[in-house]
Amino acid sequence: MAERKAYPLRINGEVLDAMQRWSDDELRSLNAQIEYVLREALRRAGRLKTPPAAAPDDEG
């Protein structure tokens, strides 16, 4: 697993409240939700390497 680093974040109160509601809906901590949203945005933008797909099973 990658090293985790602390980073202070300044964020608009309205955005923070919306993220908190979303994280509550998804049963995640606010920190985990922010990381999830950032990771998805990076992946969609092609800026985050995705892990290689698992090899297909020999069955079949």
Side-chain angles (χ1 to χ4, degrees):
M1 183 175 212
E3 176 187 355
R4 292 182 128 4
K5 296 183 178 186
Y7 181 81
L9 177 66
R10 289 184 178 91
I11 189 168
N12 175 283
E14 185 178 345
V15 172
L16 183 62
D17 291 343
M19 288 297 299
Q20 183 66 64
R21 288 190 304 273
W22 191 8
S23 69
D24 291 345
D25 291 346
E26 299 286 326
L27 303 175
R28 290 188 179 105
S29 69
L30 178 58
N31 188 71
Q33 187 70 16
I34 291 170
E35 187 171 352
Y36 170 79
V37 169
L38 287 170
R39 186 175 297 279
E40 281 298 301
L42 290 166
R43 185 186 59 77
R44 288 181 183 166
R47 299 197 172 258
L48 184 69
K49 293 180 182 176
T50 56
D57 292 339
D58 291 333
E59 297 177 29

